[in-house]
Amino acid sequence: MIGLPMLSGAALALTHTAIVAGAGAVGAAGAAGTAGIGETVLFWLFALIAVGGALGMITRRNVVAAVMCLVATIVALAGLYVLLLAQFLAVIQVIVYAGAIMVLFVFVIMMLNKEDDAPWALRGLLIKVLAGGGLAYLMARVGSVVWDAGFSPERAWNPGQAETFGSIGQVGQALFTDYLFPFEAVSLVLLVAVVGALVLANPRRPGVAAAADSGAAARIEVGEAGTAQEGGQ
Amino acid sequence: MNGSLFATVSPSHFLILAALLFAIGVIGVLMRRSVLIVLMSIELMMNAANLTILAFARQWHDINGHALAMLVIAVAAAEAAIGLAIVVRVFRILRHSEVDRLTALKH
């Protein structure tokens, strides 16, 4: 419990250093007009952390360890956003994802006080194999198209990047002119989410909630019993 | 025409990385039993989509991609809040949160 915030703090400090270094590399590359070696090294570093964190996230038995792996992935993705000249979104990524959403996950895990769970869900394996095959096919097609596009420097980024691309000013201008309606709609979505979360998670609404809960529990248990019977037959 | 994979960074690198992360997220959703891990896998898939959006935004110098990615992050935050509230409620009622055992809506 004590190690957790320290770990997050260390990770964020590391990110800050990495992002500053990444911004320097991008700036140098932009000035030279070609991709620098620093950008390549940072890409592979962040890509390895991201993929490793994602793999760790889906394989850990301990849910808290899984959350920490996902935090590593998200922080590495913030670094990749900087490489993509999206500085503002990299900051938002660290604050909103690594800061808010992941803390929410950890908070819920601590509140539920769950024991470690079984690592893999193997029920309905046939459907999952089919879905996995479809996913593999999709990825193979996407991969072949991207592979044909090539990795050579000639096919790298289009030249002529503006200095201010991805800055807060430019993103803000887009958000408050072309995207004004979606922006306001998202504020409504967030309001509904807050109210909905309060209504769903509040245990002490007098009378109504308790009755509804016991009724729901009874219904759900009946449903589970039905499933068990079907499984037994 | 495939240039050297490691010499420089191109949009293809970011697109393949995003596809890889998305695939890992799908595997997590399909194969894990804990609702919390499933929700985290969904967050990972949204991040992969964001990475694709931003790669194309840089490729075409289009700031609209950044606005879109920002809206995706906001919607992901709302989704996480609602999803976790549902997890808390389900766990209070049933004392577990395993997706394979949550079958009430099937019957």
Side-chain angles (χ1 to χ4, degrees):
Chain A
M1 283 295 290
I2 298 170
L4 203 62
M6 285 174 63
L7 200 65
S8 311
L12 286 183
L14 215 63
T15 323
H16 181 69
T17 320
I19 286 177
V20 168
V26 169
T34 55
I37 191 72
E39 188 181 353
T40 310
V41 171
L42 281 171
F43 171 80
W44 286 103
L45 178 70
F46 286 135
L48 277 178
I49 296 175
V51 173
L55 284 175
M57 189 265 289
I58 65 165
T59 51
R60 289 308 94 189
R61 285 180 74 95
N62 189 338
V63 188
V64 177
V67 171
M68 283 301 128
C69 286
L70 188 57
V71 168
T73 299
I74 282 166
V75 160
L77 278 170
L80 289 169
Y81 290 179
V82 174
L83 290 180
L84 289 171
L85 306 182
Q87 300 93 342
F88 178 56
L89 275 166
V91 173
I92 292 290
Q93 170 93 352
V94 171
I95 292 175
V96 173
Y97 261 112
I101 296 182
M102 288 302 112
V103 167
L104 201 62
F105 270 98
V106 173
F107 196 69
V108 167
I109 292 164
M110 297 297 171
M111 200 163 70
L112 299 185
N113 201 11
K114 282 165 61 67
E115 70 279 17
D116 295 352
D117 63 345
W120 303 106
L122 295 178
R123 215 161 119 178
L125 197 58
L126 179 67
I127 293 172
K128 285 170 182 173
V129 167
L130 281 178
L135 176 73
Y137 178 72
L138 180 69
M139 286 301 144
R141 294 303 295 263
V142 171
S144 74
V145 168
V146 173
W147 191 267
D148 287 343
F151 299 96
S152 60
E154 302 88 59
R155 296 303 303 262
W157 310 106
N158 290 335
Q161 206 79 67
E163 276 295 306
T164 58
F165 185 76
S167 64
I168 296 180
Q170 230 186 341
V171 177
Q173 208 156 28
L175 273 179
F176 285 110
T177 54
D178 295 344
Y179 286 85
L180 186 61
F181 178 70
F183 185 73
E184 298 295 339
V186 152
S187 70
L188 198 64
V189 167
L190 286 170
L191 179 67
V192 170
V194 168
V195 174
L198 274 177
V199 169
L200 279 171
N202 183 8
R204 276 188 291 277
R205 278 181 302 151
V208 185
D213 273 4
S214 59
R219 277 197 304 280
I220 292 170
E221 292 300 342
V222 166
E224 284 196 340
T227 317
Q229 279 169 7
E230 280 172 22
Q233 280 165 3
Chain B
M1 290 303 291
N2 291 317
S4 170
L5 189 60
F6 298 100
T8 183
V9 178
S10 68
S12 304
H13 286 82
F14 285 93
L15 295 183
I16 287 185
L17 175 65
L20 207 57
L21 289 176
F22 190 89
I24 293 172
V26 171
I27 293 169
V29 168
L30 287 177
M31 300 302 289
R32 286 308 296 261
R33 206 179 281 173
S34 161
V35 176
L36 286 165
I37 304 264
V38 169
L39 278 176
M40 280 192 272
S41 299
I42 292 171
E43 300 288 335
L44 180 65
M45 286 193 277
M46 287 196 176
N47 270 299
N50 258 353
L51 189 61
T52 309
I53 291 171
L54 290 176
F56 280 116
R58 179 176 175 190
Q59 171 74 351
W60 303 114
H61 307 166
D62 195 344
I63 201 69
N64 291 333
H66 289 207
L68 183 59
M70 174 116 188
L71 299 181
V72 170
I73 289 178
V75 170
E79 174 258 329
I82 291 282
L84 287 171
I86 292 173
V87 170
V88 168
R89 185 60 173 268
V90 165
F91 193 85
R92 279 216 184 99
I93 296 172
L94 293 180
R95 295 282 121 202
H96 72 80
S97 60
E98 293 183 13
V99 281
D100 279 355
R101 289 167 64 194
L102 299 175
T103 55
L105 291 180
K106 265 164 91 177
H107 305 286

